[in-house]
């Protein structure tokens, strides 16, 4: 799995620019095999860009990359892999082929690059090799199952299996725990510890600071495309890490606001979705932030989609201000005053190949048309500029392509488009997944501000501290059902976690 000769990786004086943006400026980064190295920074700090340089995704950088003191040529992904550098990206669906099997996805690189002119594939051997990798990782997934039928967590593990299926000297993990449950995260950490023992160097990108202290040995912090500090992790505490990331002290993580909660406004009764959601009842009052807590796989995302008309197999009744709504499609949901910020922003929340302006105005395009189908680009530009300014979206301008923004800024775009709609009910599904502490605070402030305007907020999250910090009331989900309703001020993370794991069920 590893080559013991590769003991140190150096990236020296790395600089790279994109139209209108200097992404990296003279960055020096190094890590050592057999250790886990945390690479962190606020969204837009340049950490993902630096790793894409290492992975050969970007070839127009300046500077050099060395392994054990010898410069290596990396200008495309194959050259990176040939040098033992493997990357597992955060957005799993863009890295896997959905209509191929788990085994085919795991052994994809070998199938494509190691055929040596042969045109036949030994399918039994392929699945045996893939199964051997999964067994070593202790992952229980059939190699013959189609990737499109996997859960998000299973897809993540398949990607990691692919990465370690070849000679791997340095493994980059970009937000690997974002889609994983607590037990799956512990399983991943056991794998990382084994890889470290085998002499693999791990570069670990995460915004979950407590995780870093569980698994990482060293830390590099970036800000505004430059290196800020490199240190042994044990020598720096979490508060100092946040200061380095933001360039300033951060006061409270959650907004301290007093909101007047009105009467019952939104109500859902008997919501079902063939085994995913089981007869759920819930309600939200005006100005109330209601948390939807539960572990990965509890059914939170499925419930959010059912409420928004995004599942063809769901059923149940939905009421707004006592009026029964007909919602069978997302279009009908929007027409009836509902908005959804989905968990998988790149696949469902934004048009990654379109501009920021196009994304921000997509949900209410009719407001910017005149004389029939003609679009008023001036009105669109002005409206999007206001949202960009209000949300602090870091982008050169409204014409920048969304896929080139950082994850946190993509999330702000996914949220921002609904502000122009002025919905009555806002459904947030894991809105802070994969964003830094600064962007999280921006999102919390936005949610609090919407509640202050009398909007109904359903806030789904597997982060217990987040649920406690921002909500007024909590529904806890387990195995597709709501098993407990809690007043936030009268509960704590321990009680929520207890119910989330099925505890105290009678």
């Amino acid at each position: 799995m590893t080559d013991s000769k590769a003991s140190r990786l150096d990236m020296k004086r790395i600089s790279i620019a994109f139209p209108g943006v200097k992404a990296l400026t003279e960055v020096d980064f190094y890590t050592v095999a057999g250790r886990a190295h945390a690479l962190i920074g606020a969204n837009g700090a340049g950490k993902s860009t630096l790793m894409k340089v290492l992975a050969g995704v970007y070839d127009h950088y300046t500077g050099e990359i060395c392994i054990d003191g010898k410069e290596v040529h990396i200008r495309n992904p194959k050259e990176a892999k040939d040098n033992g550098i493997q990357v597992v990206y955060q957005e799993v669906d863009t890295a896997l082929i959905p209509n191929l099997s788990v085994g085919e996805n795991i052994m994809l690189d070998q199938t494509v690059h190691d055929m040596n002119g042969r045109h036949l594939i030994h399918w039994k051997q392929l699945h045996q090799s893939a199964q051997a990798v999964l067994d070593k990782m202790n992952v229980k997934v059939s190699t013959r199952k189609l990737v499109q039928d996997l859960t998000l967590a299973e897809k993540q593990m398949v990607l990691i299996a692919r990465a370690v299926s070849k000679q791997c000297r340095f493994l980059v993990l970009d937000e690997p725990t974002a889609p994983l449950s607590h037990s799956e995260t512990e399983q991943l950490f056991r794998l990382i510890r084994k890889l470290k023992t085998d002499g693999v160097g791990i570069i670990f990108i995460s915004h979950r600071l407590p995780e870093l202290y569980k698994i990482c040995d060293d830390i590099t912090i970036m800000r505004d495309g430059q290196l800020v500090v490199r240190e042994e992790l044990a020598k720096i505490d979490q508060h100092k890490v946040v200061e380095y990331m933001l360039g300033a002290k951060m006061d409270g993580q959650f907004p301290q606001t007093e909101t007047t909660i009105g009467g019952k406004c939104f109500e859902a009764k008997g919501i079902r979705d063939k085994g995913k959601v089981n007869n759920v009842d819930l309600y939200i009052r005006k100005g109330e932030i209601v948390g939807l807590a539960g572990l990965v796989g509890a059914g939170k995302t499925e419930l959010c989609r059912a409420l928004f008309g995004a599942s063809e197999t769901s059923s149940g009744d939905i009421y707004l201000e006592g009026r029964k709504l007909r919602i069978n499609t997302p279009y009908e949901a929007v027409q009836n005053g509902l908005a959804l910020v989905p968990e998988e922003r790149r696949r469902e929340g934004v048009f990654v190949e379109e501009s920021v302006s196009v994304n921000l105005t997509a949900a209410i395009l009719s407001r910017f048309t005149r004389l029939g189908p003609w679009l008023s680009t001036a009105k669109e530009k002005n409206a999007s500029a206001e949202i960009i300014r209000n949300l602090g979206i870091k982008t050169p301008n409204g014409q920048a392509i969304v896929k080139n923004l950082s994850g946190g800024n993509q999330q702000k775009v996914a949220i921002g488009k609904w502000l122009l709609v002025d919905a009555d009910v806002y459904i947030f599904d894991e809105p802070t997944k994969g964003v830094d502490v600064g962007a999280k605070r921006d999102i919390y402030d936005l949610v609090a501000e919407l509640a202050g305007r009398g909007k109904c907020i359903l806030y789904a999250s597997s982060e217990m501290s987040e649920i406690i910090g921002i909500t007024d009331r909590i529904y806890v989900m387990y195995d597709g059902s709501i098993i407990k309703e809690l007043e936030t001020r009268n509960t704590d993370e321990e009680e929520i976690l207890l119910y989330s794991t099925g505890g105290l069920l009678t």
Side-chain angles (χ1 to χ4, degrees):
M1 185 180 292
T2 183
D3 185 341
S4 60
K5 293 186 293 184
S7 59
R8 175 166 165 147
L9 168 70
D10 283 272
M11 303 180 74
K12 302 178 179 180
R13 304 179 303 281
I14 303 296
S15 296
I16 191 170
F18 300 95
V21 181
K22 184 70 179 290
L24 298 173
T25 304
E26 297 285 313
V27 173
D28 292 322
F29 172 84
Y30 79 88
T31 191
V32 181
R35 293 174 72 85
H37 194 126
L39 176 62
I40 70 169
N43 291 110
K47 56 190 184 298
S48 293
T49 301
L50 184 67
M51 290 300 99
K52 286 181 178 178
V53 167
L54 179 62
V57 175
Y58 299 137
D59 64 356
H60 62 288
Y61 65 90
T62 59
E64 61 184 32
I65 301 173
C66 301
I67 295 179
D68 275 357
K70 297 180 181 179
E71 185 174 1
V72 294
H73 189 273
I74 297 179
R75 297 286 171 172
N76 60 57
K78 184 178 184 302
E79 290 174 344
K81 293 174 182 178
D82 289 345
N83 282 285
I85 297 165
Q86 298 280 347
V87 183
V88 175
Y89 293 107
Q90 176 184 352
E91 306 293 350
V92 296
D93 283 304
T94 62
L96 293 171
I97 302 176
N99 57 343
L100 293 185
S101 69
V102 168
E104 290 169 292
N105 271 276
I106 291 175
M107 307 306 295
L108 187 63
D109 290 338
Q110 292 89 321
T111 304
V112 172
H113 297 301
D114 298 344
M115 290 289 288
N116 295 321
R118 294 180 289 112
H119 299 288
L120 296 177
I121 296 175
H122 195 305
W123 291 107
K124 184 177 180 180
Q125 182 179 333
L126 180 147
H127 284 285
Q128 287 175 341
S129 298
Q131 189 63 55
V133 177
L134 292 174
D135 288 344
K136 194 165 188 177
M137 294 172 56
N138 195 29
V139 175
K140 308 299 182 185
V141 178
S142 169
T143 64
R144 298 184 183 275
K145 192 172 184 179
L146 293 182
V147 161
Q148 65 191 18
D149 296 328
L150 300 181
T151 66
L152 200 57
E154 289 171 335
K155 291 176 185 177
Q156 179 74 72
M157 301 309 283
V158 168
L159 268 183
I160 295 172
R162 179 202 290 173
V164 301
S165 67
K166 292 191 70 175
Q167 293 293 316
C168 182
R169 295 176 173 180
F170 293 93
L171 175 63
V172 181
L173 300 175
D174 186 0
E175 292 286 345
T177 63
L180 303 184
S181 68
H182 177 74
S183 61
E184 290 163 338
T185 296
E186 289 301 319
Q187 179 183 337
L188 172 64
F189 285 176
R190 286 194 293 270
L191 174 62
I192 290 175
R193 294 184 186 104
K194 184 181 187 309
L195 292 173
K196 287 165 60 176
T197 302
D198 291 343
V200 178
I202 307 294
I203 302 173
F204 194 94
I205 301 175
S206 177
H207 293 300
R208 297 176 173 179
L209 297 186
E211 289 182 350
L212 306 183
Y213 288 84
K214 287 185 178 180
I215 198 65
C216 293
D217 306 291
D218 309 297
I219 187 169
T220 291
I221 303 172
M222 297 183 65
R223 186 174 68 245
D224 297 331
Q226 297 178 301
L227 184 142
V228 176
V229 68
R230 187 198 188 281
E231 185 59 89
E232 289 185 26
L233 191 54
K235 295 181 179 179
I236 182 171
D237 64 31
Q238 290 190 36
H239 293 290
K240 200 66 179 176
V241 168
V242 173
E243 285 184 34
Y244 280 127
M245 287 173 61
L246 302 180
K249 289 188 177 183
M250 186 171 180
D251 298 324
Q253 184 179 11
F254 299 103
Q256 301 298 317
T257 57
E258 290 292 332
T259 301
T260 300
I261 297 176
K264 186 183 296 185
C265 180
F266 177 78
E267 191 170 11
K269 297 181 178 179
I271 304 299
R272 299 176 181 270
D273 193 355
K274 63 170 187 178
K276 304 171 188 174
V277 180
N278 304 318
N279 198 33
V280 165
D281 296 339
L282 61 83
Y283 71 91
I284 309 173
R285 293 170 291 192
K286 285 188 176 182
E288 187 179 31
I289 303 174
V290 173
L292 192 61
L295 301 179
V296 173
K300 302 187 303 297
T301 292
E302 290 78 7
L303 176 57
C304 292
R305 289 176 57 83
L307 294 174
F308 194 64
S311 173
E312 296 179 355
T313 56
S314 64
S315 62
D317 297 324
I318 296 175
Y319 300 85
L320 184 64
E321 297 277 19
R323 177 173 58 92
K324 187 175 180 179
L325 306 181
R326 182 181 184 275
I327 297 179
N328 295 313
T329 65
Y331 174 80
E332 290 177 342
V334 174
Q335 293 298 107
N336 281 287
L338 275 66
L340 169 67
V341 178
E343 178 182 15
E344 299 210 43
R345 56 177 171 259
R346 287 183 64 91
R347 192 175 70 177
E348 300 175 336
V350 293
F351 300 114
V352 293
E353 300 292 342
E354 298 290 348
S355 71
V356 173
S357 289
V358 166
N359 272 274
L360 290 174
T361 57
I364 192 165
L365 205 56
S366 60
R367 186 182 297 178
F368 307 103
T369 57
R370 53 191 173 86
L371 300 177
W374 302 107
L375 179 68
S376 173
T377 55
K379 287 184 178 180
E380 182 185 52
K381 182 178 179 181
N382 290 337
S384 60
E386 183 178 355
I387 297 295
I388 290 170
R389 183 172 57 254
N390 291 344
L391 292 187
I393 300 172
K394 292 183 179 179
T395 176
N397 51 59
Q399 302 312 306
I401 303 302
V402 166
K403 71 177 181 181
N404 295 329
L405 302 184
S406 67
N409 286 298
Q410 288 181 14
Q411 187 71 321
K412 288 182 181 180
V413 172
I415 295 171
K417 71 181 182 184
W418 294 117
L419 301 185
L420 290 173
V421 174
D422 192 29
D424 297 303
V425 182
Y426 286 84
I427 304 170
F428 293 90
D429 186 9
E430 301 283 359
T432 63
K433 188 178 84 172
V435 304
D436 67 78
V437 289
K440 280 185 179 182
R441 178 58 195 258
D442 291 340
I443 292 171
Y444 299 149
D445 287 341
L446 172 63
V447 171
E449 193 237 330
L450 288 171
R453 287 161 46 191
K455 307 300 183 181
C456 298
I457 310 293
L458 184 63
Y459 194 100
S461 177
S462 54
E463 296 284 341
M464 303 305 169
S465 60
E466 195 169 80
I467 288 287
I468 288 287
I470 196 162
T471 68
D472 302 298
R473 191 164 49 87
I474 303 164
Y475 290 109
V476 184
M477 289 196 73
Y478 175 77
D479 197 22
S481 300
I482 288 179
I483 62 168
K484 191 67 175 177
E485 180 183 348
L486 300 165
E487 291 288 336
T488 304
R489 65 177 179 271
N490 297 326
T491 189
D492 55 27
E493 292 184 40
E494 185 178 355
E495 184 180 22
I496 296 172
L497 184 59
L498 181 63
Y499 285 111
S500 296
T501 55
L504 300 182
L505 287 179
T506 57

